[in-house]
Amino acid sequence: MTDIKIPILMYHSIESMPKSTIMRSLHVPPRRFKFQMWLLKMLGYRGLSLRELQPYIDGEKIGKVIGISFDDGYQNILINAAPVLMKYNFSATCYIVSENIGTSNTWDQNKKITQRPLMTEDEINQWLQMGMDIGAHSKTHVDLTSVSVQQVQKEIKDCKVDLEKKFKVQISDFCYPFGRFNQIVCNIVKDSGYLSATTMLRGRVNSQSDSYQLPRIPINHRTLPHLFLTKILTKYEDRRSTTT
Ligand SMILES: [Zn+2]
């Protein structure tokens, strides 16, 4: 196997938010996102959805590629990210919470985190029509390590079934809500027919990476260009994975 180092970027919301916003770091300003995508293009990278990235992770294809993922399905990514991705012929995966389509990030409500609109069914269809992809982020964005096995199965399986029925695309990529998982949760994802699952473990994907525990690189409001490059091109993030 070749020694691969594939970064998968983790974004949430692409929007400029006021200074007072709780967890403002989750919102990357559109101009910063634009610059990051331009940088990737200049460096010769092709940004890919998890589905398109899989053959590179498996070592079947070789190329200068980078995964791009958005958690939760915020409406602002359709407006602020999709046109930029299209411009550079990149694709990306957006992980959808199937019961929250067209609502907001209600799972954050008790933490007083700002509520932002999530894409409606029609908007997710637009996202798909723009050449982007979707994956599953459970039915209700529950911490899967804190509920019964039956509930975990419902959250993981039903999300896939619901999304496939609604959007007529195969759903093969999962993302653990809050990055929380354990071996039981992992096995259920695998048994439900998914081909990959992303976590909040940090690092770049290498040939030893477990497809159901893929590490990612968090990009947030404070990720300035020099840090962005360091995260992608150096061992900076890989070193952060050893403690988890
Ligand atoms: Zn999430």
Side-chain angles (χ1 to χ4, degrees):
M1 258 205 178
T2 46
D3 186 26
I4 52 161
K5 292 276 183 218
I6 302 177
I8 301 175
L9 306 180
M10 173 177 73
Y11 290 98
H12 285 80
S13 151
I14 308 292
E15 187 174 13
S16 296
M17 297 293 280
K19 277 206 171 87
S20 57
T21 308
I22 295 173
M23 291 285 281
R24 188 187 182 204
S25 62
L26 290 178
H27 307 275
V28 174
R31 61 180 166 76
R32 185 154 293 162
F33 178 76
K34 240 185 225 174
F35 188 72
Q36 289 167 353
M37 294 304 110
W38 177 82
L39 261 182
L40 292 181
K41 188 72 183 176
M42 288 303 113
L43 289 168
Y45 277 102
R46 179 140 185 254
L48 295 178
S49 64
L50 269 291
R51 194 191 305 272
E52 289 187 286
L53 197 65
Q54 197 64 50
Y56 295 90
I57 295 175
D58 296 340
E60 290 162 9
K61 279 188 181 178
I62 295 167
K64 210 167 176 186
V65 292
I66 185 163
I68 303 177
S69 68
F70 298 90
D71 288 13
D72 305 336
Y74 293 100
Q75 198 178 50
N76 57 42
I77 68 160
L78 178 67
I79 301 152
N80 298 326
V84 183
L85 295 165
M86 271 183 91
K87 180 178 167 189
Y88 295 125
N89 197 25
F90 289 176
S91 61
T93 296
C94 177
Y95 294 110
I96 305 289
V97 181
S98 60
E99 285 201 354
N100 276 61
I101 292 170
T103 67
S104 66
N105 45 319
T106 48
W107 58 87
D108 285 330
Q109 243 159 4
N110 53 4
K111 282 176 257 161
K112 297 200 171 67
I113 293 175
T114 316
Q115 291 294 299
R116 305 302 303 140
L118 298 175
M119 285 190 276
T120 61
E121 199 174 319
D122 184 49
E123 286 164 339
I124 294 171
N125 273 316
Q126 287 178 48
W127 169 262
L128 289 166
Q129 277 155 23
M130 289 170 98
M132 305 302 145
D133 201 4
I134 55 170
H137 200 28
S138 82
K139 268 171 74 151
T140 64
H141 206 287
V142 69
D143 172 353
L144 296 170
T145 64
S146 72
V147 294
S148 70
V149 172
Q150 287 94 320
Q151 212 176 329
V152 172
Q153 278 170 333
K154 269 188 94 60
E155 286 281 343
I156 293 172
K157 283 185 186 164
D158 293 5
C159 182
K160 181 171 160 70
V161 172
D162 292 351
L163 293 177
E164 287 181 342
K165 208 164 136 196
K166 246 186 196 128
F167 301 106
K168 313 271 180 285
V169 287
Q170 210 192 336
I171 301 294
S172 52
D173 305 292
F174 190 81
C175 172
Y176 303 106
F178 308 108
R180 305 274 296 157
F181 67 95
N182 55 29
Q183 202 52 55
I184 298 169
V185 172
C186 240
N187 290 344
I188 294 174
V189 169
K190 206 182 288 184
D191 294 343
S192 303
Y194 292 97
L195 302 177
S196 85
T198 47
T199 65
M200 285 189 180
L201 299 176
R202 295 173 69 168
R204 294 174 297 175
V205 177
N206 62 52
S207 50
Q208 267 88 53
S209 299
D210 181 333
S211 282
Y212 296 90
Q213 294 182 28
L214 292 174
R216 289 189 291 174
I217 294 181
I219 306 296
N220 63 39
H221 173 256
R222 288 186 248 16
T223 312
L224 298 173
H226 65 281
L227 180 58
F228 183 77
L229 289 176
T230 307
K231 278 169 174 270
I232 290 165
L233 302 173
T234 74
K235 289 187 176 134
Y236 179 88
E237 290 286 332
D238 304 336
R239 278 204 296 261
R240 279 167 161 70
S241 67
T242 49
T243 50
T244 48

